[in-house]
Amino acid sequence: MSREHDQQGAGNDPMLLDHNYDGIQEFDNPTPGWWHVIFIGSVIFAILYVQVYMFGPGSSEQDKYNIEVAQHYERLFADVGDLEPNEETILRIMHEDDLQRFMPVAEAIFTSKCAACHGALGQGGTGPNMTDDAYLHVKNLEDIGTVILEGARAGAMPAWEKRLHPNQITLLAAYVAKLRGTNVPGKMKEGEVPAPWPEYEPAGN
Ligand code: HEC
């Protein structure tokens, strides 16, 4: 085959590239349509995947943790319903036998969220001692719940309303109320001594 002939051939066949090295020529086969579809499709999929699974809502480790915790408490509290931090409910949690199973839960929350400021046993530190009988902000059981929910002294005592399950707040209120009078040596008494917590009268008696 002559060189000229080959080049002519290249001109005629759109698949054949122009260059010709001692009779060796090259086809220019375009990649097939389906290949483009898969290639561009994977690029788009990768971008969407990263957006949704790495940056989308509910996808950070923190979000996943929060969801797990919420589900855990949903299961844990399934049979008790909502526990409002009112006097009756707090007394019930403090005294009723079948609610005592929640005390270790309250203690665990106290250890992880409150002990840093109030001491492992509630003996005080940055925050006041809760094992004596004097309080800065508490005149009755409900006030304990209110302080935990809303915080005090411009955030020196943080507000926990948005960070804990409402039932957790009520359990903590009962736990803190029970610390009264355990008199663990620690921070000195602060504030006033309110009336003793009311007696528990089980409903229906
Ligand atoms: C960052 C430190 C800090 C953490 C964490 C903290 N508190 Fe406090 N807490 C304080 C301080 C400080 C006060 C006293 C505020 C004041 O002086 O007015 C206080 C006050 C209180 C009071 C009122 C005591 C009184 O004498 O009236 C209660 C009840 C209480 N905290 C419960 C809790 C519980 C329950 C938790 C955990 C969910 C918690 N605190 C976590 C710092 C903290």
Side-chain angles (χ1 to χ4, degrees):
M1 259 193 261
S2 78
R3 201 182 174 86
E4 270 163 19
H5 175 85
D6 289 343
Q7 271 167 355
Q8 208 181 4
N12 293 340
D13 188 341
M15 299 273 274
L16 209 52
L17 290 173
D18 278 343
H19 52 241
N20 180 333
Y21 302 105
D22 295 333
I24 299 171
Q25 286 181 277
E26 199 185 344
F27 271 128
D28 179 18
N29 276 322
T31 39
W34 59 261
W35 188 91
H36 281 268
V37 170
I38 291 177
F39 177 72
I40 294 168
S42 355
V43 171
I44 294 171
F45 174 78
I47 293 169
L48 292 178
Y49 184 87
V50 166
Q51 293 303 319
V52 173
Y53 287 98
M54 294 179 69
F55 302 118
S59 58
S60 72
E61 289 306 310
Q62 184 65 47
D63 288 346
K64 285 182 200 157
Y65 172 79
N66 289 343
I67 291 167
E68 291 265 330
V69 170
Q71 287 170 343
H72 167 72
Y73 280 107
E74 233 162 72
R75 285 193 295 270
L76 186 69
F77 296 136
D79 61 334
V80 287
D82 292 339
L83 302 170
E84 299 291 330
N86 53 38
E87 183 176 286
E88 191 215 319
T89 310
I90 294 173
L91 276 176
R92 214 152 54 80
I93 299 169
M94 289 169 72
H95 298 285
E96 226 165 67
D97 286 345
D98 78 313
L99 291 174
Q100 295 315 301
R101 66 199 153 107
F102 286 121
M103 274 302 138
V105 177
E107 186 175 5
I109 309 166
F110 190 88
T111 304
S112 68
K113 311 281 183 198
C114 322
C117 294
H118 289 284
L121 302 172
Q123 76 277 24
T126 317
N129 190 333
M130 300 203 281
T131 68
D132 55 33
D133 54 0
Y135 296 87
L136 292 164
H137 301 283
V138 175
K139 305 234 174 325
N140 53 52
L141 287 172
E142 280 190 32
D143 290 346
I144 303 180
T146 308
V147 174
I148 302 172
L149 281 167
E150 297 170 6
R153 194 148 58 81
M157 161 64 190
W160 295 91
E161 191 165 12
K162 296 204 171 67
R163 287 188 268 177
L164 293 173
H165 187 284
N167 285 13
Q168 287 180 299
I169 306 240
T170 308
L171 292 181
L172 278 172
Y175 181 80
V176 167
K178 274 192 144 186
L179 291 176
R180 181 179 189 179
T182 56
N183 293 314
V184 181
K187 208 170 181 194
M188 61 174 208
K189 274 190 191 185
E190 293 168 276
E192 312 277 318
V193 178
W197 306 142
E199 294 292 321
Y200 176 60
E201 288 164 29
N205 287 7

